[in-house]
Amino acid sequence: MNKVEKILIVDDDDDFRRLVSTHLKNIYENILIDEYDLSTKRNFPSESECSNYDVMLLDHDLRLDQTGVSWFKSCKKVKDFPATIMITSLANETMATHALNSGVHYYLNKQKLSKEVLKNAVNLANEIKQSRLKIVNEC
């Protein structure tokens, strides 16, 4: 499995981004974490910006003209797009199924988030992405 070195957090909640960033820095040594503040940028990051990261944590409800899942579906075809973990406080089974069927690598409920859950999600999402890339490269 490739080591996770760079993580992008895309969320419109400053406190949540800081909390997750702090947890990740405590979990992984020498990790680079960037927080993408949608409340000030008012637009999703470009595909090329995202491809610089190993893992992206993406909020579902971003108070923009589209959800995190719809944006993800429009740009996930880029080979270097990061392993993506959908995070939401509005979690339900239908939303989780839709996100996973859209190609998201992992799905988290913000209310059930802990350091251990976050670590497992990041590692598993990265592992899933690397496995898929290996299959594609072998074809």
Side-chain angles (χ1 to χ4, degrees):
M1 177 178 84
N2 290 3
K3 183 178 173 189
V4 176
E5 297 175 353
K6 294 170 71 176
I7 296 177
L8 177 62
I9 304 169
V10 180
D11 197 296
D12 56 355
D13 183 332
D14 293 338
D15 293 334
F16 182 77
R17 284 195 319 273
R18 275 187 246 122
L19 175 69
V20 171
S21 183
T22 299
H23 282 334
L24 290 168
K25 287 175 183 172
N26 288 328
I27 295 168
Y28 298 99
E29 279 187 37
N30 303 318
I31 190 92
L32 172 70
I33 299 172
D34 287 329
E35 298 177 30
Y36 194 89
D37 184 0
L38 284 165
S39 64
T40 59
K41 298 191 183 198
R42 305 265 182 233
N43 211 345
F44 288 99
S46 70
E47 293 170 18
S48 61
E49 285 177 284
C50 292
S51 66
N52 294 320
Y53 296 91
D54 302 308
V55 175
M56 176 173 53
L57 284 101
L58 175 63
D59 191 9
H60 181 274
D61 183 25
L62 297 164
R63 293 182 242 156
L64 296 173
D65 60 344
Q66 60 181 334
T67 64
V69 172
S70 61
W71 173 74
F72 171 80
K73 286 169 58 175
S74 71
C75 55
K76 70 176 182 178
K77 296 175 182 96
V78 175
K79 183 179 180 183
D80 293 333
F81 201 78
T84 303
I85 300 169
M86 182 66 52
I87 51 177
T88 186
S89 57
L90 307 170
N92 63 49
E93 188 175 326
T94 302
M95 189 182 292
T97 301
H98 176 67
L100 293 168
N101 286 341
S102 298
V104 169
H105 299 91
Y106 207 87
Y107 187 87
L108 289 175
N109 181 334
K110 286 182 180 180
Q111 278 96 19
K112 297 181 180 179
L113 198 61
S114 68
K115 285 183 186 177
E116 191 63 32
V117 168
L118 187 58
K119 179 181 178 181
N120 289 339
V122 168
N123 290 339
L124 285 170
N126 189 50
E127 196 175 302
I128 291 166
K129 181 188 182 221
Q130 296 307 319
S131 295
R132 288 179 182 174
L133 279 176
K134 183 179 178 188
I135 292 168
V136 168
N137 290 333
E138 288 175 356
C139 292

